[in-house]
Amino acid sequence: NNNYIAVDALIERMNLTQGEYDVLSAYMSGLTYLEVTQLLNVNRTTIWRRRMSLQRKYMLANTKPYFPI
């Protein structure tokens, strides 16, 4: 029995667009880059941009703000 509460909370903090969520779901399902482009019927560049956006949003959602003293 897997508990995905932490993962779901992280995804929620990322504020993903529908396209980004679709790409993330496809990758989490184990699909390859080319399979994702075929599944979503979009250009490879679009998938690449969405992946870059996912990585940026992940880093922002996963880091704590820095407040110098």
Side-chain angles (χ1 to χ4, degrees):
N1 186 13
N2 294 325
N3 187 350
Y4 295 105
I5 294 173
V7 175
D8 291 338
L10 176 61
I11 291 172
E12 182 70 27
R13 284 193 312 270
M14 290 172 65
N15 296 320
L16 301 178
T17 65
Q18 186 61 48
E20 292 166 344
Y21 185 79
D22 293 342
V23 169
L24 179 60
S25 296
Y27 276 113
M28 289 175 61
S29 296
L31 298 179
T32 65
Y33 183 78
L34 292 177
E35 290 172 333
V36 174
T37 61
Q38 293 170 351
L39 174 71
L40 300 178
N41 196 27
V42 294
N43 192 309
R44 292 181 312 205
T45 306
T46 303
I47 298 299
W48 181 82
R49 274 188 270 130
R50 290 177 183 172
R51 280 187 58 215
M52 293 300 107
S53 180
L54 282 167
Q55 288 177 357
R56 181 177 38 80
K57 288 182 177 185
Y58 173 79
M59 292 302 292
L60 290 172
N62 213 21
T63 58
K64 295 178 182 167
Y66 174 70
F67 296 108
I69 298 176

